[in-house]
Amino acid sequence: MPQRALEEDKEMLIRYYRKAGILRSPEVERAFRKVPREEFVLSGYRDMAYVDRPLPIGYGQTISAPHMVVMMCEALELKPGHKVLEVGTGSGYHAAVIAEIVAPEGSEDQGLVVSIERIPELVEYARRNLERTGYLGRVRVICGDGSKGYPEEAPYDRILVTAAAPRVPKPLVEQLKVGGILVIPVGSLYLYQDLLKVRKLPSGEVSVENLGGVAFVPLVGKYGWRL
Ligand code: SAM
C-alpha cells in the first residue's frame, strides 16, 4: 500500500475519533498524526496500520488498537515536560506518541518517557522501532517487571499500564507524584476489564474514575498475574 493511502486511512480515523468524542485535544491529535504506526507493526501488517484493531507483535503480545492509544493519552492529561512511566512497551508505539506530547522536538520542556517491558525480545524490537523513527532519545526502554514500577526514575507525573492487572499495583501509586494520574486496566484475566483513571490526592489517598470496559493482555509479574 502506498504511503499516501496509509495517510488517508489515518486522517479518516482522526475524523472518526473527533466525531465520536474520543479525540479531544490538539496535542493528542498532533502526536497521533505525527507518529507512524506503520513503523511499529510487523512488516506483514503494514497495510493494516490504520485499521482500528490491535495487531500481533509476536510472543503472544499485541500493539494496542489506535483508538485505545488515543483514549489513554486523553485520559492521562499529558503536558510538555512530564516524566511518564509506561508499563508494557510492546512495539514502542504508545511510548512514541506520549514522547511526542511530553517532549516535542525543539521544545524547551524536555519531558521523558520511561517504558518497561518484561519480554527481552520485545525490548529489542521496541528499541529498533524507536531508533528508526527518531524517538529513542526521548524514550528510555527498560527490561523488567513493571508491575513493581521503576523506582530508579520515580516519582512520575503520569503512569500508564498497557496490560491488565488484577488490582492497582501499590508500588505504582507510591511512585506517582501528588496530583499525578495513573491509567490502568483492572479486572479479569483475558476477558473484560475496566479502564481506571487513578488520581493521587495530597493525603496520599486516591480518587478512581471508571472510564469503561476494555480487553487487554495480562500484566504478568509480582503485582500482576502470576502466570
Ligand atoms: N504499549 C504497547 C505498544 O504500544 O505496542 C502495547 C503493549 S501490549 C498490549 C502489553 C505489553 O505488556 C506486552 O508487550 C507485555 O509483554 C507487557 N507486559 C506484561 N506484563 C508486564 C510486566 N509485568 N512488566 C512489563 N511489561 C509487561
Side-chain angles (χ1 to χ4, degrees):
M1 185 187 266
Q3 189 62 34
R4 220 190 60 208
L6 285 173
E7 296 302 329
E8 282 169 10
D9 284 357
K10 189 194 294 200
E11 290 304 317
M12 218 161 68
L13 280 187
I14 290 173
R15 281 197 298 277
Y16 171 72
Y17 294 157
R18 275 216 301 249
K19 207 167 154 198
I22 296 169
L23 183 54
R24 298 182 297 276
S25 68
E27 294 80 9
V28 177
E29 180 172 331
R30 191 189 66 77
F32 182 74
R33 186 172 276 123
K34 181 100 187 273
V35 181
R37 189 170 187 260
E38 63 274 24
E39 296 294 334
F40 291 82
V41 300
L42 294 174
S43 55
Y45 289 98
R46 192 179 164 86
D47 289 358
M48 294 176 70
Y50 298 102
V51 175
D52 197 9
R53 49 165 283 196
L55 294 170
I57 53 172
Y59 311 94
Q61 306 304 323
T62 54
I63 173 172
S64 304
H67 75 270
M68 192 47 63
V69 172
V70 166
M71 266 178 69
M72 288 174 128
C73 283
E74 291 284 11
L76 282 166
E77 303 178 23
L78 299 164
K79 298 277 176 299
H82 275 167
K83 186 193 266 190
V84 182
L85 175 67
E86 181 194 37
V87 178
T89 318
S91 66
Y93 172 68
H94 204 156
V97 174
I98 295 172
E100 193 54 57
I101 301 170
V102 302
E105 238 173 2
S107 154
E108 282 178 13
D109 302 307
Q110 277 312 308
L112 176 69
V113 183
V114 178
S115 186
I116 182 159
E117 168 60 53
R118 63 180 278 272
I119 300 176
E121 289 85 351
L122 288 179
V123 169
E124 286 314 309
Y125 177 63
R127 281 196 184 129
R128 282 198 304 277
N129 292 339
L130 290 161
E131 182 161 34
R132 199 176 52 251
T133 50
Y135 289 98
L136 201 53
R138 295 174 265 172
V139 181
R140 197 167 301 159
V141 186
I142 312 286
C143 189
D145 175 7
S147 75
K148 298 190 275 190
Y150 188 65
E152 289 84 340
E153 288 280 357
Y156 301 96
D157 297 287
R158 302 288 186 259
I159 300 180
L160 168 69
V161 184
T162 67
R167 63 195 70 80
V168 177
K170 205 166 154 232
L172 298 187
V173 175
E174 286 165 359
Q175 291 169 36
L176 194 60
K177 285 186 190 170
V178 168
I181 296 171
L182 159 67
V183 172
I184 179 170
V186 172
S188 59
L189 196 56
Y190 293 112
L191 294 166
Y192 171 91
Q193 302 106 24
D194 290 313
L195 186 63
L196 303 185
K197 177 170 175 174
V198 177
R199 205 183 283 266
K200 189 164 175 178
L201 307 172
S203 63
E205 301 288 295
V206 294
S207 68
V208 180
E209 184 185 347
N210 188 339
L211 303 179
V214 290
F216 274 84
V217 294
L219 180 75
V220 180
K222 183 168 180 198
Y223 294 88
W225 298 96
R226 309 285 185 98
L227 299 179

